[in-house]
Amino acid sequence: MTTTAPLPGVQGPDAQAALRATGLKVTAGRVAVLEALEHAPHVDAEAVLALVRDRLPGTSVQSIHNVLGDLVDAGLVRRFTPARQSARYERRVGDNHHHAVCSSCGRVDDVDCVVGEAPCLHADAPSGFVVAVAEVTFVGICADCLAAAAAEEPAP
Amino acid sequence: MTTTAPLPGVQGPDAQAALRATGLKVTAGRVAVLEALEHAPHVDAEAVLALVRDRLPGTSVQSIHNVLGDLVDAGLVRRFTPARQSARYERRVGDNHHHAVCSSCGRVDDVDCVVGEAPCLHADAPSGFVVAVAEVTFVGICADCLAAAAAEEPAP
DNA sequence: CCTTTTGTTTTGAGCAGATCAAAACATGCT
DNA sequence: AGCATGTTTTGATCTGCTCAAAACAAAAGG
C-alpha cells in the first residue's frame, strides 16, 4: 500500500528547495530534519531525532547523524559544540550570530553580535591561517540560574 | 622503601605554589599535570596522560580526568573544546586569548585578540545573563593544509 | 510508464572520551 | 608519629558518535 502516497512527512517547500539548491536528494528524513530545526533553535541530535520521529517513526539514530552531517556539509545547517555538551544544530541564517551558554543549566541562547558584521575575524591569526568562521560563545550564568543561586546563598 | 623520598615527579615550585594558593593538596600527579601543561600549549587528556607518565608511570586515565577537572574547577587550568575534537587544556595566563583551529588537520594555535582586552564581552546577551568568559574560536585552514590543498587541486 | 543508476537509510557492530562509585592510599595537620 | 581528610586507583558504565555493508528509495533515461 501507499504506492501513490508520495512522502509521509514532507510539508515544507522551503526545505525541499533548499535541498535541491545544494544538489542533495529530497528525502523525507532530510525535510523532516530541516523542518524540525526550523522550529527548534539549537537542539542536539537526540532532540532532532525526537522531533523527526513525530512524523517519521522508525527513524534511526544513525540516520539523524548521517542527515545532520550531510546538511552541515552542504551548508544548510550549522553545527556548534557548547563546552561540556553534545553538538547542537541550527539552521544557519547567514548572519554571524553567536551563542550564550549557561554553564549551570546548559541553556543556549542566540546572541547577535553588536558589531553586526564579523567582529573578530581580523584576529592576529598565525601567518597563512585563513579564517572561515569565528565561533564566539559566551559562557556565563543565565538569569534563572543566577536567581536560583542567589536564593540559596543570600549572603555568605 | 622511599619513605624519605618526598615526591617522585615534583620539580616546579610554581606549580606547588599555585596549588596551595587554591587550597588544593599538593600531590605528585597534580604537579606533574601542571608542569606538563606548562610545556605543552593545548593538549587533550590523552596527551597529558602521556606527558605525566614520563615522570609518574602507572598513572591512570581516570586520574588525569580527575586532576584536570579539579584544576579547571580551581581556575588553574582552562578547558576548551574545539569543534569535533576532544577537550583540550591549557594553563590560563590571565589574558583572554583565543584559538585558531584548523578544520583540516585539527591543529590549534593561540590567538591574541587584537582589541587586547575582551572584545566581545559586551554582547547583546539575553537580559540577566552574566557573561563569565567569551570563548572565541576561529575555524579555518592553516597554512600547511592550504598549501597541501592547493598542490592537489591547482586549477579546476 | 517502467527500468536503471545513483544515492540514502537502515542494520549492526564498535570506538573514544568521559563519568560514577567504592576501596586503597597519601597528604597535611596536631 | 598518628589521625582525619582528601586524593588516586580500580573497575564498571555511559553517552555521543563513527564505520561498513546490505536493503531501499529517489532522480534520470529509455
Side-chain angles (χ1 to χ4, degrees), chain B residues 8-85:
Chain B
V10 170
Q11 283 152 15
D14 304 339
Q16 295 195 20
L19 285 171
R20 290 187 191 280
T22 61
L24 283 111
K25 284 191 178 176
V26 177
T27 66
R30 288 176 178 170
V31 173
V33 167
L34 281 175
E35 298 212 337
L37 290 178
E38 198 91 41
H39 295 92
H42 8 60
V43 287
D44 56 14
E46 187 184 350
V48 173
L49 175 62
L51 289 167
V52 168
R53 275 188 175 160
D54 282 348
R55 309 219 159 144
L56 271 59
T59 305
S60 66
V61 185
Q62 290 83 339
S63 290
I64 292 297
H65 283 287
N66 193 355
V67 168
L68 286 172
D70 290 345
L71 295 179
V72 168
D73 289 343
L76 291 177
V77 166
R78 179 177 166 191
R79 160 162 46 197
F80 70 100
T81 309
R84 318 289 289 155
Q85 295 188 26

Side-chain angles (χ1 to χ4, degrees), chain B residues 75-76 78 90-97 116-117:
Chain B
L76 291 177
R78 179 177 166 191
E90 66 185 356
R91 285 207 71 169
R92 99 158 152 205
V93 228
D95 60 356
N96 86 316
H97 70 272
E117 189 67 12

Side-chain angles (χ1 to χ4, degrees), chain A residues 76-130:
Chain A
L76 291 177
V77 167
R78 179 176 168 192
R79 161 162 45 197
F80 69 99
T81 309
R84 315 289 291 157
Q85 296 188 26
S86 51
R88 300 193 171 226
Y89 301 86
E90 67 186 355
R91 286 207 70 170
R92 99 156 152 205
V93 230
D95 61 355
N96 86 315
H97 71 274
H98 306 310
H99 298 106
V101 180
C102 176
S103 54
S104 180
C105 67
R107 165 177 166 171
V108 177
D109 283 304
D110 282 338
V111 174
D112 293 321
C113 204
V114 277
V115 188
E117 189 68 14
C120 300
L121 278 180
H122 296 293
D124 193 8
S127 61
F129 191 93
V130 177

